[in-house]
Amino acid sequence: MDSVKDVVEGVKKATLGDTPQRPQGQKKEKKEKKKGGDAEAGSRPLEIDPPPAYIAHRIKIFEKLKAEYDESVSKKSRDDITITLDNNRHEIGKAWETTPGQIARNISKSLFERTVISRVDGELWDLDRPLESSCRLELLDFDHPEGKKVFWHSSPPIEDGFYYEMGLPEGEAVQQSDWKPLETIAAKAIKEKQPFERLVLSKANLLEMFKDNKYKQHIIKDKIPDGSDTTVYRCGPLIDLCRGPHVPNTGRIKAFAIMKNSASYFLGNAENDSLQRVYGVSFPDKKLMDEHKKYLEEAAKRDHRKIGQEQDLFFFHELSPGSCFFLPHGTRIYNTLASFLRDEYWKRGYEEVITPNMYNSKLWEKSGHWQHYKDDMFTFELEKEQFALKPMNCPGHCLLFKHRERSYRELPWRVADFGVLHRNEASGALTGLTRVRRFQQDDTHIFCTQDQITQEIEGLFDFLRTVYGCFGFTFKMKLSTRPDKYLGDIETWNVAEAKLKTALDSFTAGGGSKWELNEGDGAFYGPKIDVTISDALKRDHQCATIQLDFQLPQRFELEYMTAESSAKPKEEPEATLKGDAKTEADKPKGPSPGCARPVMVHRAIIGSFERMIAILTEHFAGKWPFWLSPRQILVIPVMPTANSYVLEVQKIFRAQEMHVDVDISGNTMKKKILVGQMQQYNFIFVVGAEEEKSRTVNIRNRDDQSTQAKGDLIPLDEAIKKLKVLKEERRLVNAI
């Protein structure tokens, strides 16, 4: 259960089943150092002695139920099965006996040792878990995204490792001095090659197994439906709720390190208990750990929060958590991004609109968001009516479409909106610019006919290529198809998915990257394409999304007059989610005679401006390309008598809509240049009497060391011309 934030109960870590309320400090009693441990004087003991009673209680239940499960498996028929590998090689095995690990070992010992996890007919599968029938088998190593995720899945995995949450006795806090003892315990477990054992338990057995832990009780009661079951895993004395799968045993881990610790709220809710979170990382090779630490050093240098402070781009304040204050230089980046998109909108036939920030709850009830998204919205009462700040623009754009009669001649209608959005993110989830409560995005919706879907999607692919190309991003796309619960009829879904596949194939044939199929992961209202970009550190970020929506046009009864407006169109299927029962009054009406429903395409390319600025800051490491830079030119005088020329040069280049700052302070010229270099100005103009007399500038290029001393003087007109080209062509290379 990846969404479940499990709480550590204290296996070889001094944690308790029932944890006190939020810690009020970091009080810590001095305790005697335990024999055989690396605990420092005054720190907690390595292990609780004697162990808490709940450990034995859980092990007793696990061993009893595991014996019953093994007994039932022993009675199953050992029929011959065929296992098909990636290279279409076929292996013969026995049902309920042959494991993926055995198949890998039979091929070669090195393959088995490299393999982290298997995938059976698309489902991740433990290497030691017996196969149940004929299947297709994939063997995934650490380099595979799923392999890496499983390797780090002994705790909730994150992008660069994993974390574990716990409550300590008397509300104590984890200290950095605890890291080494934890690594010592991990090393001991690794040396013992403790196996990961999987077991399926009923909800009733889970509640009994974890009866001493109020957090797991809450998770089990809230996340697991009555009458159903889920999996637990055992590793040594630790037994925990987990969907799995895992590596075969702890011996697969060759390098392990604690990276940091922090406080967190249970389930990310500030109203809940405060817990302690420990972050770690592990690798199947010590060399990978060394490479990872170097990567972390580079990522830390590029952290957008650090660069944002150094370059005076933005800040946050406790009086408005999750809402960014963009300073003048940060606002320059924000506005440049918006201008860039507006230029593209003009070329591509988009129309920009402005819509309200708050709506009556009736709008959200009609769209379905009130039922499913209310807790993530900022709601309030006004004149005895419920209102909410908008978290997205789509329902409002439906009102725009329905404002008057529409004709097929108007379609496609491409609507763009930079309106302010608010989402009620948990305080514990707020992280710099990457997760905020107040934001803007390049939100657009395209209303089109079904026949226009392919051409619109192909147009969006070209839009993606243009925008991401200007940032130096590569990107890949994934098509998510019809989920188990969906709206509409299968025929409509099949047609829509076929159109998206056609557009994707055309993109690939035209030199674009190969796309992936993500079966069954579409939205309930239509298939979607998720777009992932890769930055300078080869990190993936999902920013763009393209979604087809058949639901909102039905819910809002949107329609347009067709070319055959005198004929009654084919009756459309009702927008009923499979498994939902609706009364006649609830069912949406079909379109009027001579009309049809439009298809709604949701799309964002850069997504949230805030998040994209964070990504770009780290991608460029604060060295912005000239066209996007908040500090394009700094003009410095050789001596005070040149100050008037400095101000004149600033005025001339500002007239060309370039960001030009001056430094006519009392600092030395050398210090002014050094400060300008540290602030990452693209170009520094150093001017004196000679430059003023010849109407020239001496230009130092941030990215060209050969220009850091006085060079050839460039006439003002020539400098303007070269810099305008650099800006207008949105070049990535800082050269003129």
Side-chain angles (χ1 to χ4, degrees):
M1 300 170 66
D2 287 336
S3 63
V4 176
K5 307 296 189 230
D6 295 327
V7 182
V8 176
E9 280 73 44
V11 179
K12 298 184 178 179
K13 305 176 187 180
T15 57
L16 296 178
D18 271 326
T19 305
Q21 295 296 312
R22 299 179 182 83
Q24 298 300 314
Q26 297 186 346
K27 186 176 74 172
K28 197 173 181 182
E29 294 182 8
K30 191 169 182 178
K31 298 178 182 178
E32 183 181 351
K33 183 175 179 180
K34 291 284 180 179
K35 181 181 178 181
D38 285 357
E40 298 174 1
S43 70
R44 283 180 281 274
L46 268 182
E47 304 179 36
I48 295 178
D49 187 16
Y54 61 77
I55 292 181
H57 172 72
R58 293 175 192 174
I59 291 175
K60 181 178 179 181
I61 293 176
F62 185 93
E63 290 181 344
K64 175 179 178 295
L65 296 177
K66 183 67 164 58
E68 293 175 2
Y69 171 76
D70 291 342
E71 175 71 17
S72 67
V73 169
S74 69
K75 296 177 181 178
K76 293 184 181 294
S77 176
R78 296 318 198 245
D79 298 331
D80 287 343
I81 58 174
T82 301
I83 300 107
T84 305
L85 301 175
D86 267 353
N87 56 3
N88 284 326
R89 173 176 172 174
H90 298 285
E91 297 283 341
I92 303 300
K94 296 288 186 182
W96 298 99
E97 182 177 301
T98 302
T99 68
Q102 290 172 346
I103 297 293
R105 195 191 302 272
N106 289 342
I107 295 173
S108 75
K109 181 182 177 183
S110 62
L111 174 62
F112 172 71
E113 291 174 347
R114 288 197 314 272
T115 302
V116 171
I117 199 66
S118 70
R119 191 156 55 188
V120 176
D121 290 336
E123 178 185 351
L124 290 176
W125 199 274
D126 292 290
L127 289 178
D128 292 336
R129 180 180 170 188
L131 300 169
E132 299 170 8
S133 59
S134 294
C135 60
R136 175 171 286 277
L137 175 65
E138 299 170 81
L139 300 171
L140 312 179
D141 61 16
F142 185 80
D143 291 333
H144 192 283
E146 293 291 349
K148 187 171 296 180
K149 187 182 295 185
V150 166
F151 196 88
W152 289 338
H153 188 64
S154 296
S155 298
I158 52 177
E159 188 176 281
D160 53 1
F162 54 86
Y163 68 84
Y164 211 62
E165 287 178 335
M166 67 197 77
L168 294 177
E170 302 177 12
E172 292 181 274
V174 171
Q175 309 287 338
Q176 189 166 348
S177 59
D178 295 320
W179 295 9
K180 179 61 176 175
L182 289 175
E183 291 175 347
T184 298
I185 292 169
K188 181 173 180 287
I190 290 168
K191 186 176 181 180
E192 292 172 354
K193 297 184 178 180
Q194 298 173 355
F196 285 90
E197 298 178 89
R198 178 181 184 272
L199 187 62
V200 179
L201 266 64
S202 67
K203 183 172 184 176
N205 283 329
L206 289 168
L207 289 170
E208 173 60 24
M209 175 177 277
F210 298 105
K211 68 179 182 179
D212 294 307
N213 189 291
K214 64 181 181 180
Y215 303 115
K216 293 193 186 298
Q217 288 280 315
H218 175 88
I219 290 167
I220 294 166
K221 292 174 182 176
D222 186 57
K223 300 292 184 182
I224 303 172
D226 292 340
S228 66
D229 49 37
T230 192
T231 53
V232 297
Y233 276 79
R234 177 181 178 182
C235 180
L238 172 65
I239 300 173
D240 209 349
L241 288 168
C242 188
R243 186 181 66 181
H246 292 280
V247 293
N249 61 68
T250 56
R252 289 297 188 95
I253 300 167
K254 305 303 181 186
F256 177 92
I258 301 295
M259 305 306 295
K260 62 179 179 177
N261 63 272
S262 67
S264 63
Y265 290 111
F266 179 55
L267 300 180
N269 187 335
E271 298 300 317
N272 292 338
D273 289 358
S274 180
L275 305 174
Q276 293 295 300
R277 180 178 288 184
V278 175
Y279 294 83
V281 70
S282 58
F283 290 95
D285 187 303
K286 291 181 180 179
K287 182 181 177 182
L288 293 175
M289 177 68 82
D290 294 336
E291 292 173 355
H292 180 70
K293 288 183 176 180
K294 289 179 181 177
Y295 157 79
L296 290 179
E297 289 176 9
E298 180 61 28
K301 294 176 187 175
R302 293 170 177 255
D303 191 309
H304 73 278
R305 292 164 294 187
K306 172 178 175 288
I307 293 174
Q309 182 177 11
E310 292 171 348
Q311 296 188 359
D312 272 341
L313 302 180
F314 60 85
F315 71 92
F316 289 88
H317 197 282
E318 61 184 7
L319 295 182
S320 186
S323 300
C324 182
F325 288 79
F326 276 94
L327 295 164
H329 287 89
T331 303
R332 291 176 180 180
I333 300 171
Y334 212 106
N335 290 339
T336 301
L337 287 175
S339 296
F340 174 33
L341 291 167
R342 284 190 170 106
D343 288 347
E344 290 299 319
Y345 287 162
W346 182 261
K347 297 174 188 175
R348 299 169 188 273
Y350 284 79
E351 293 188 295
E352 189 175 342
V353 297
I354 299 173
T355 52
N357 270 12
M358 70 177 196
Y359 292 92
N360 191 293
S361 62
K362 292 173 184 175
L363 174 79
W364 309 110
E365 290 168 3
K366 191 174 187 68
S367 69
H369 291 97
W370 197 255
Q371 298 88 316
H372 303 289
Y373 203 77
K374 179 183 176 183
D375 291 344
D376 297 311
M377 300 167 67
F378 287 102
T379 62
F380 55 94
E381 187 174 303
L382 180 64
E383 297 177 348
K384 298 182 180 181
E385 294 272 358
Q386 280 287 310
F387 281 77
L389 296 177
K390 65 179 179 182
M392 68 279 294
N393 287 305
C394 30
H397 288 182
C398 287
L399 297 184
L400 282 174
F401 188 93
K402 199 174 181 179
H403 167 63
R404 61 170 175 79
E405 286 188 346
R406 301 284 175 180
S407 166
Y408 72 95
R409 294 186 180 89
E410 299 178 65
L411 304 183
W413 189 38
R414 307 179 186 103
V415 187
D417 195 332
F418 290 113
V420 174
L421 305 176
H422 287 86
R423 295 182 184 173
N424 190 11
E425 301 283 359
S427 59
L430 300 176
T431 310
L433 291 176
T434 59
R435 185 68 70 88
V436 292
R437 287 174 173 163
R438 185 268 186 206
F439 62 98
Q440 290 173 254
Q441 61 182 22
D442 62 327
D443 204 5
T444 69
H445 295 94
I446 301 172
F447 297 91
C448 64
T449 68
Q450 288 206 23
D451 291 340
Q452 294 169 335
I453 291 175
T454 301
Q455 71 181 44
E456 289 305 306
I457 299 302
E458 289 177 345
L460 291 177
F461 291 165
D462 181 70
F463 205 159
L464 288 170
R465 203 194 304 259
T466 298
V467 172
Y468 291 157
C470 284
F471 300 137
F473 290 139
T474 58
F475 66 94
K476 52 191 176 185
M477 297 189 287
K478 185 182 294 185
L479 172 62
S480 298
T481 57
R482 186 182 69 250
D484 293 335
K485 290 188 175 183
Y486 60 92
L487 285 162
D489 67 300
I490 290 180
E491 180 184 353
T492 302
W493 275 83
N494 290 342
V495 170
E497 289 174 4
K499 290 178 183 294
L500 293 182
K501 288 177 182 177
T502 298
L504 286 163
D505 287 339
S506 177
F507 174 77
T508 301
S513 59
K514 187 177 179 181
W515 59 277
E516 299 177 37
L517 182 63
N518 189 18
E519 294 272 11
D521 200 39
F524 64 89
Y525 50 76
K528 64 175 181 174
I529 298 172
D530 292 321
V531 185
T532 303
I533 60 175
S534 182
D535 69 9
L537 293 181
K538 295 182 171 57
R539 298 175 299 187
D540 288 340
H541 308 274
Q542 185 181 324
C543 294
T545 183
I546 301 169
Q547 300 179 347
L548 297 188
D549 189 347
F550 309 112
Q551 178 205 14
L552 282 185
Q554 295 249 30
R555 282 183 174 266
F556 283 88
E557 298 176 2
L558 305 184
E559 60 185 33
Y560 63 90
M561 291 181 287
T562 65
E564 301 81 24
S565 57
S566 59
K568 186 173 181 179
K570 175 184 174 183
E571 192 73 22
E572 290 199 8
E574 297 157 356
T576 303
L577 192 62
K578 300 307 177 189
D580 285 357
K582 287 191 176 290
T583 65
E584 288 299 320
D586 291 330
K587 294 178 180 177
K589 301 174 184 176
S592 304
C595 295
R597 297 263 186 255
V599 176
M600 192 174 181
V601 182
H602 305 252
R603 86 104 185 100
I605 292 180
I606 70 168
S608 154
F609 276 68
E610 284 73 6
R611 182 166 178 264
M612 178 55 78
I613 289 173
I615 292 170
L616 290 171
T617 303
E618 297 181 2
H619 177 60
F620 293 123
K623 293 186 176 182
W624 301 93
F626 185 77
W627 72 273
L628 188 57
S629 177
R631 291 182 172 84
Q632 294 174 329
I633 301 169
L634 175 64
V635 190
I636 294 174
V638 173
M639 62 288 200
T641 55
N643 285 356
S644 59
Y645 185 56
V646 166
L647 295 174
E648 182 186 356
V649 170
Q650 180 189 35
K651 184 177 180 180
I652 290 171
F653 280 84
R654 279 181 60 85
Q656 301 299 322
E657 298 185 345
M658 297 181 194
H659 299 308
V660 188
D661 297 323
V662 300
D663 188 346
I664 53 176
S665 68
N667 291 327
T668 64
M669 184 183 76
K670 183 177 180 180
K671 185 172 182 180
K672 292 175 183 179
I673 292 173
L674 180 62
V675 171
Q677 290 171 337
M678 291 175 63
Q679 292 178 328
Q680 302 298 341
Y681 279 90
N682 296 74
F683 299 98
I684 296 177
F685 293 179
V686 181
V687 298
E690 183 181 359
E691 287 81 8
E692 183 175 9
K693 181 178 180 180
S694 60
R695 308 296 291 171
T696 60
V697 287
N698 177 39
I699 300 179
R700 297 179 181 228
N701 183 332
R702 179 193 66 196
D703 300 338
D704 185 352
Q705 288 300 312
S706 67
T707 67
Q708 300 309 306
K710 183 175 180 179
D712 295 335
L713 302 184
I714 301 177
L716 287 175
D717 289 345
E718 183 181 342
I720 290 171
K721 182 179 179 181
K722 289 182 176 181
L723 289 175
K724 283 183 69 175
V725 170
L726 184 62
K727 179 183 177 184
E728 291 168 0
E729 294 183 358
R730 298 191 176 94
R731 296 177 185 171
L732 286 172
V733 178
N734 197 59
I736 56 174

